[in-house]
């Protein structure tokens, strides 16, 4: 048998994921789940419970509490009480809490994924590889927004208590979409998960119980009665994701009140395929658009619009692909389509499919049959669909695709917009001019070109028309959880260090007996390794009283050359890594620095004579700076310029490249963390020259670098004479930018020497206040303008 024959005849093997850990967790609760209010678990006052069912087997998983009006009021009161202290925390303190939640989600990711699949019916591949990683991503991302709220949302303050109601199609992801930004902006939350899928929200509540102060997050389960009670309760905002019909009810219920409202509602998204599209790729796009999560996605590409000339070819390819789709046990990692969430939803799908047939559309389904146990429905394709027919206009919320044809781009736009919804759209064409032209005309909040169902915490999501209003994700999503502040000025995060420290109950003792029995030799740090200076010389380091407390290597021209070579080798890969990836490493640096806070505080005090409180304050501010740099790693966005021709001109900030940074004398640790970490966050690779006054801080810091997954070559440290090394860096043709803090003569020398390759320079005073973050980020990047013309 030939290899092509083997590939043709091979079938998928069964790859089951064990459900035991999730079932054990359910059993540990005796299969009965209470309400989570004020960090306490309590029975519902109604004494009413309802079943949670596994859609794949139709078997009961557990009993869920039905919250009453009284329970809802108790949850709101707890959140109101918690708000008074939560909103007073610094952004950095809230960032730490969100970061801790993200870490716990990652540590228990498999349990969350399996439990979500059991409760919802979606394939384990989707919960494991898409949903849960995105959940953690949202908490990491919004930890960053909490960190920089005081500068990036200056003049805004939190709303107060937020009531949130989420759907059953993405139970944990929708929770993250709503809770993460609400907490980041200083609000407290009462959240009601969907009746069908409450279990992962309750597992999440256990994380909140361990991490958050009482009342900050409250989880109340129940049916529509609980949701109605929350809408009518004394909350400052309602955030709802669900059907348009329920959204209308909420809009009416909140009309005339002071409650802020955001609604993410239904959709009937067009999937537009032009005749020049890569049809094989488009077919895979359709699979993701309509059969992902069994089509139970508000932005599912449920209307296939194909240009007439390639329609039949597209349908043939699509049917062949549908024949290969696997429907079955969602815990089987080979399965493509899982179970429908509940019998009522399955009945709705079946009813609308029959209506489509009755209205004259042609239905096609694969030859195989679905499992008999559980709630399943096969992938379904309708052709010959009239634009005004029910299945082309009504959200089915199932694995059903309605296909229509068009002849011209103008007709495609009219068909796409011939709907009351406006949530999302996908456009497939090899002609980017055409794709962008159509994208500007389709009425939808999110447009994907040659892709579909792409989501990220950094990108806002929400709809036009009857798909609702407001946005979730991105900076625009933050404005849903804030209001204009009456306070005209806000203190900087650094000025809040002592307050933050008190709030976090940091009572670590400080002692200053720094007489090591063994002399620790401070080395250079080049290409991820400690290195002895090429010169073979060391420089004494003295304390504030003139006593020698250690020695550091005297870096030479060759050491700079080695460091620059290491940085050049690392910068390309580092600059192309994702902002999220860079943020993870910077957060890790902050985490590891916090673990050694006492040691660094002692070192600062030893070198400078600072008292214990001031030294620890600098360490705390340095940790905060690392968090701030991490926050900016995926948020320093570009812009679309309004240039006066038919095009999109994208202004994209990019890393400059290899950067030499010569640090000032004051704030040895804070300067290192603020300047270097911010430059690193933007994708640059660094050669750092510490202050000659307090270089031991930097040589201690490379031990933090070694334990924090910082890629070799991205962060190099060379100690020595500042002005001598500055001149070497400024003259080096493979250095792209030099930041210099030093004397006036030194500044002049650096700027003069930089003319060799016209490298950028930024000079700063040798002492005094450090630059603000916006200025640092601007100097750490350069803008590339990309012009993208369009027009059919």
């Amino acid at each position: 048998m030939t290899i092509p024959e083997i590939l043709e005849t091979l079938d998928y093997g069964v790859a089951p994921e064990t459900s035991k850990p999730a079932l054990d967790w359910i059993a540990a609760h005796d299969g009965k789940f209470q309400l989570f209010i004020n960090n306490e678990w309590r029975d519902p006052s109604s004494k009413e419970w309802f079943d949670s069912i596994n859609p794949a087997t139709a078997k009961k998983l557990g009993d869920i509490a039905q919250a009453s009006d009284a329970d809802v009021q108790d949850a709101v009161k707890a959140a109101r009480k918690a708000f008074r202290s939560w909103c007073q925390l610094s952004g950095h303190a809230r960032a730490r809490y969100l970061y801790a939640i993200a870490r716990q989600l990652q540590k228990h990711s498999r349990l969350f994924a399996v439990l979500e699949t059991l409760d919802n019916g979606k394939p384990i591949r989707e919960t494991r590889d898409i949903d849960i990683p995105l959940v953690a991503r949202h908490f990491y991302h919004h930890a960053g927004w909490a960190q920089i709220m005081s500068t990036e949302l200056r003049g805004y303050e939190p709303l107060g208590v937020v009531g949130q109601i989420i759907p059953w199609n993405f139970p944990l992801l929708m929770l993250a979409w709503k809770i993460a930004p609400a907490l980041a902006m200083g609000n407290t939350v009462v959240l009601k998960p969907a009746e069908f899928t409450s279990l992962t929200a309750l597992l999440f509540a256990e994380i909140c119980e361990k991490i958050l102060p009482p009342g900050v997050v409250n989880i109340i389960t129940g049916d529509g009665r609980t949701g109605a009670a929350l809408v009518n309760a004394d909350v400052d905002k309602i955030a709802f994701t669900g059907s348009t019909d329920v959204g209308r009810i909420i809009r009416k219920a909140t009309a005339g009140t002071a409650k802020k409202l955001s609604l993410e509602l239904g959709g009937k998204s067009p999937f537009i395929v032009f005749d020049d599209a890569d049809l094989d790729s488009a077919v895979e796009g359709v699979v993701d658009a309509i059969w992902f999560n069994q089509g139970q996605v508000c932005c599912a590409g449920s209307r296939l619009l194909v240009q007439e000339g390639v329609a039949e070819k597209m349908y043939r390819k699509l049917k062949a692909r549908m024949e290969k789709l696997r429907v079955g046990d969602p815990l089987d990692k080979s399965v493509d389509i899982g179970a429908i969430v509940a019998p009522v939803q399955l009945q709705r799908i079946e009813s609308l499919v029959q209506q489509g047939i009755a209205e004259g559309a042609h239905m096609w389904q694969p030859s195989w049959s679905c499992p008999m146990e559980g709630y399943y429905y096969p992938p379904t394709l309708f052709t010959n669909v009239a634009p005004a027919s029910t299945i082309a206009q009504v959200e089915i919320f199932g694995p059903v695709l309605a296909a229509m044809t068009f002849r011209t781009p103008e007709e495609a736009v009219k068909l796409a917009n011939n709907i009351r919804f406006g949530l999302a759209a996908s456009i497939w064409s090899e002609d980017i001019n055409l794709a962008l032209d159509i994208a500007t005309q389709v009425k939808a909040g999110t447009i994907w070109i040659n892709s579909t169902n792409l989501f990220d915490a950094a990108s806002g999501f929400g709809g036009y028309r009857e798909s609702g209003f407001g946005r979730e994700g991105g900076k625009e999503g933050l404005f849903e959880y804030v209001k204009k502040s009456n306070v005209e000025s806000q203190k900087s995060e650094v000025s809040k260090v002592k307050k933050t420290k008190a709030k976090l109950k940091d009572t670590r003792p400080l002692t200053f007996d720094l007489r090591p029995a063994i002399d620790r030799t401070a080395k250079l740090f080049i290409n991820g390794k400690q290195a002895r200076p090429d010169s073979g010389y060391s420089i004494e380091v003295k304390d504030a009283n003139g006593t020698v407390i250690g020695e550091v290597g005297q870096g030479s021209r060759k050491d700079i050359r080695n460091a620059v070579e290491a940085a050049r080798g690392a910068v390309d890969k580092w600059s192309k890594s994702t902002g999220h990836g860079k943020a993870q490493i910077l957060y890790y640096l902050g985490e590891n620095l916090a673990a050694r806070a006492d040691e660094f505080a002692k070192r600062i005090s030893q070198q400078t004579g600072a008292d214990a409180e001031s030294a620890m304050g600098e360490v705390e501010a340095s940790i905060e700076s690392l968090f701030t740099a991490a926050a900016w790693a995926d948020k320093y966005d570009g812009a679309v310029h309004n240039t006066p021709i038919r095009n999109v001109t994208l202004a994209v900030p990019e890393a400059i490249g290899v950067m030499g940074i010569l640090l000032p004398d004051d704030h040895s640790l804070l300067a290192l963390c603020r300047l270097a970490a911010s430059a690193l966050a933007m994708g640059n690779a660094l050669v750092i020259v510490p202050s000659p006054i307090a270089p031991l801080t930097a040589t201690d810091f490379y031990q933090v670098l070694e334990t924090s997954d910082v890629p070799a070559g991205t962060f190099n440290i060379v100690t020595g004479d500042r002005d001598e090394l500055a001149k070497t860096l400024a003259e080096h043709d493979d250095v792209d930018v030099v930041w210099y803090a030093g004397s006036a003569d030194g500044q002049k020398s650096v700027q003069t020497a930089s003319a060799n390759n016209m490298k950028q320079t930024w000079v700063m005073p040798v002492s005094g206040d450090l630059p603000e973050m916006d200025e640092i980020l601007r100097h750490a990047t350069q803008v590339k303008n990309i012009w993208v013309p369009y027009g059919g």
Side-chain angles (χ1 to χ4, degrees):
M1 181 178 288
T2 65
I3 290 177
E5 289 173 332
I6 292 173
L7 293 175
E8 278 292 323
T9 56
L10 277 178
D11 195 10
Y12 287 103
V14 177
E17 172 79 28
T18 179
S19 60
K20 186 177 184 302
L23 295 176
D24 287 347
W25 177 79
I26 293 172
H29 293 78
D30 297 323
K32 201 164 190 176
F33 296 91
Q34 300 168 297
L35 306 173
F36 181 68
I37 299 174
N38 205 34
N39 276 23
E40 296 175 349
W41 295 93
R42 61 169 76 174
D43 287 347
S45 60
S46 65
K47 306 301 180 185
E48 186 179 347
W49 307 78
F50 58 91
D51 294 343
S52 180
I53 303 296
N54 181 346
T57 63
K59 295 179 181 177
K60 181 177 175 179
L61 291 170
D63 294 309
I64 308 295
Q66 171 66 46
S68 67
D69 284 5
D71 297 321
V72 172
Q73 296 303 324
D74 286 347
V76 172
K77 288 176 184 176
R80 183 70 65 192
K81 181 179 178 182
F83 174 71
R84 291 194 289 269
S85 55
W86 180 255
C87 71
Q88 293 299 316
L89 282 180
S90 71
H92 177 57
R94 293 198 303 276
R96 286 193 178 192
Y97 280 116
L98 268 70
Y99 175 72
I101 292 172
R103 296 281 285 175
Q104 288 298 312
L105 286 163
Q106 288 181 317
K107 290 177 182 178
H108 302 286
S109 60
R110 204 61 169 238
L111 175 58
F112 273 107
V114 175
L115 189 63
E116 190 89 315
T117 290
L118 288 174
D119 205 23
N120 171 273
K122 65 172 64 181
I124 185 66
R125 285 190 305 156
E126 295 178 10
T127 59
R128 180 196 64 192
D129 299 338
I130 300 173
D131 290 14
I132 308 305
L134 263 177
V135 170
R137 160 71 172 149
H138 272 268
F139 280 97
Y140 278 128
H141 181 81
H142 286 93
W145 279 122
Q147 178 74 30
I148 58 179
M149 178 184 176
S150 63
T151 56
E152 293 311 297
L153 284 92
R154 190 181 303 277
Y156 288 89
E157 62 184 19
L159 296 170
V161 177
V162 177
Q164 300 176 326
I165 303 171
I166 59 174
W168 44 259
N169 56 337
F170 292 92
L172 194 64
L173 183 56
M174 292 295 101
L175 175 150
W177 277 27
K178 286 182 165 55
I179 287 184
L183 297 190
M185 296 297 99
N187 302 279
T188 53
V189 168
V190 179
L191 180 133
K192 189 198 90 68
E195 178 184 1
F196 296 143
T197 53
S198 300
L199 291 179
T200 48
L202 296 169
L203 177 57
F204 177 81
E206 292 186 352
I207 289 178
C208 295
E209 182 183 13
K210 297 174 183 176
I211 293 174
L212 293 173
V216 173
V217 169
N218 306 271
I219 308 291
I220 52 169
T221 52
D223 57 19
R225 292 171 291 168
T226 304
L230 182 56
V231 169
N232 293 317
D234 180 27
V235 296
D236 301 291
K237 175 190 167 64
I238 291 292
F240 171 78
T241 297
S243 72
T244 299
D245 289 341
V246 175
R248 285 196 186 91
I249 295 172
I250 294 173
R251 171 69 282 180
K252 292 176 182 178
T254 58
T257 70
K259 293 174 185 174
K260 195 165 186 175
L261 180 65
S262 58
L263 301 172
E264 197 264 280
L265 307 176
K268 191 73 176 175
S269 300
F271 190 102
I272 307 169
V273 181
F274 287 93
D275 57 9
D276 66 338
D278 179 343
L279 295 187
D280 291 325
S281 295
V283 166
E284 292 305 312
V286 171
V287 172
D288 286 338
I290 187 59
W291 295 306
F292 170 64
N293 198 20
Q294 300 74 255
Q296 298 171 138
V297 182
C298 55
C299 56
S302 53
R303 291 187 298 146
L304 175 61
L305 311 180
V306 189
Q307 199 153 17
E308 199 171 78
V310 295
E312 291 303 320
K313 185 177 181 181
M314 178 75 181
Y315 296 159
R316 287 196 302 272
K317 287 178 175 287
L318 193 53
K319 290 175 182 178
R321 183 68 176 88
M322 291 170 68
E323 196 68 44
K324 298 291 186 181
L325 292 174
R326 291 166 62 90
V327 176
D329 179 7
L331 285 174
D332 183 348
K333 291 184 280 287
S334 297
V335 159
D336 299 301
I337 302 176
I340 303 301
V341 72
V344 64
Q345 184 60 25
L346 182 60
Q347 291 164 10
R348 173 178 170 80
I349 295 168
E350 292 171 340
S351 173
L352 287 168
V353 166
Q354 291 304 312
Q355 191 166 348
I357 295 171
E359 291 178 357
H362 299 162
M363 186 193 75
W364 188 91
Q365 294 176 333
S367 59
W368 41 262
S369 58
C370 292
M372 299 302 293
E373 183 184 42
Y375 317 130
Y376 293 93
Y377 199 81
T380 301
L381 171 65
F382 274 105
T383 55
N384 195 39
V385 176
S389 66
T390 301
I391 57 172
Q393 292 291 319
V394 173
E395 185 178 32
I396 299 174
F397 226 62
V400 180
L401 179 63
M404 294 161 273
T405 62
F406 64 88
R407 294 181 180 179
T408 66
E410 292 77 15
E411 186 182 357
V413 171
K414 289 179 180 179
L415 282 172
N417 291 336
N418 181 38
I419 198 77
R420 60 194 176 98
F421 301 109
L423 193 55
S426 292
I427 301 169
W428 292 74
S429 172
E430 292 297 287
D431 184 347
I432 191 65
N433 301 319
L434 175 63
L436 287 171
D437 190 29
I438 299 302
T440 63
Q441 300 177 64
V442 173
K443 303 297 183 185
T446 298
I447 308 288
W448 296 296
I449 294 177
N450 293 331
S451 58
T452 193
N453 275 341
L454 302 178
F455 308 100
D456 187 72
S459 177
F461 184 84
Y464 294 0
R465 299 174 171 177
E466 292 189 21
S467 290
F469 50 82
R471 292 292 183 265
E472 296 186 289
K475 187 173 183 179
E476 56 264 45
L478 301 178
F479 290 99
E480 301 299 330
Y481 292 99
V482 294
K483 62 184 177 182
K484 274 289 188 180
S485 173
N486 292 324
V487 180
E488 293 185 1
S489 62
Q490 299 179 15
K491 294 181 179 179
S492 69
E493 292 301 317
V494 175
S495 69
K496 297 178 183 177
V497 168
K498 293 180 181 178
K499 184 177 181 180
T500 301
K501 189 172 68 170
K503 290 290 184 181
L504 294 175
K505 297 182 180 178
D506 187 356
T507 57
R508 295 171 290 195
L510 280 175
T511 58
F512 292 97
D513 182 14
L514 289 171
R515 296 181 183 177
I518 300 174
D519 177 41
R520 187 173 67 191
T521 303
K523 301 181 180 68
L524 313 182
F525 187 69
I526 298 174
N527 204 25
K529 299 177 182 178
Q530 297 181 38
R532 297 187 185 279
D534 181 73
S535 69
Y537 292 98
S538 294
I539 304 171
E540 291 183 343
V541 181
K542 299 180 181 180
D543 65 13
N545 298 317
T547 303
V548 175
I549 57 175
E551 294 177 304
V552 295
Q554 182 172 312
S556 66
R557 179 178 292 271
K558 185 176 180 182
D559 296 316
I560 291 292
R561 185 190 68 190
N562 292 340
V564 171
E565 183 179 351
R568 179 59 63 192
V571 69
D572 188 61
K573 185 176 181 180
W574 176 249
S575 65
K576 292 178 181 176
S577 63
T578 66
H580 177 59
K582 296 186 191 80
Q584 296 304 289
I585 289 174
L586 290 163
Y587 278 130
Y588 200 14
L589 277 171
E591 181 180 323
N592 287 331
L593 179 58
R596 300 175 60 177
D598 279 350
E599 176 187 340
F600 277 87
K602 293 171 187 175
R603 181 66 87 182
I604 290 168
S605 184
Q606 182 193 35
Q607 293 175 110
T608 66
D611 60 40
E613 184 177 10
S614 297
M616 182 56 80
E618 181 173 341
V619 175
E620 290 289 348
S622 300
I623 296 167
E624 186 170 350
S625 287
L626 291 170
F627 267 60
T628 300
W632 276 114
D634 62 353
K635 298 179 186 68
Y636 195 64
D637 294 329
V640 178
H641 290 320
N642 185 18
T643 47
I645 62 172
R646 291 171 62 84
N647 72 92
V648 176
T649 306
L650 306 175
V652 182
E654 292 186 335
I656 299 176
V658 175
M659 179 179 292
I661 304 180
L662 300 106
L663 297 174
D665 288 343
D666 293 350
H667 317 298
S668 57
L669 181 61
L670 181 58
L672 176 67
C673 291
R674 182 181 291 188
L675 294 171
S678 302
L680 201 66
M682 295 297 99
N684 300 285
L686 314 178
V687 178
I688 304 295
V689 178
S691 157
I693 302 299
L696 294 175
T697 300
T699 58
D700 288 347
F701 191 77
Y702 65 55
Q703 296 173 34
V704 177
L705 295 171
E706 288 175 322
T707 58
S708 302
D709 295 339
V710 178
T714 58
F715 203 123
N716 305 276
I717 300 173
V718 179
T719 53
D721 183 274
R722 177 166 48 205
D723 285 350
E724 182 180 317
L725 297 178
K727 187 172 184 293
T728 301
L729 281 165
E731 290 174 342
H732 200 304
D733 285 344
D734 212 21
V735 176
D736 301 299
V737 59
V738 173
W739 294 355
Y740 173 84
S743 66
D745 288 343
Q747 294 176 8
K748 181 179 179 180
S749 174
V750 165
Q751 292 172 333
T752 301
S754 68
N756 290 343
N757 68 342
M758 295 304 295
K759 63 171 60 69
Q760 298 181 37
T761 61
W762 183 27
V763 296
M764 294 167 271
V766 71
S767 61
D769 292 338
L770 295 171
E772 293 297 325
M773 183 57 67
D774 60 338
E775 191 175 16
I776 297 172
L777 296 175
R778 190 169 66 253
H779 282 284
T781 55
Q782 56 191 354
V783 175
K784 175 188 287 183
N785 286 282
I786 303 172
W787 294 56
V788 185
Y790 63 83

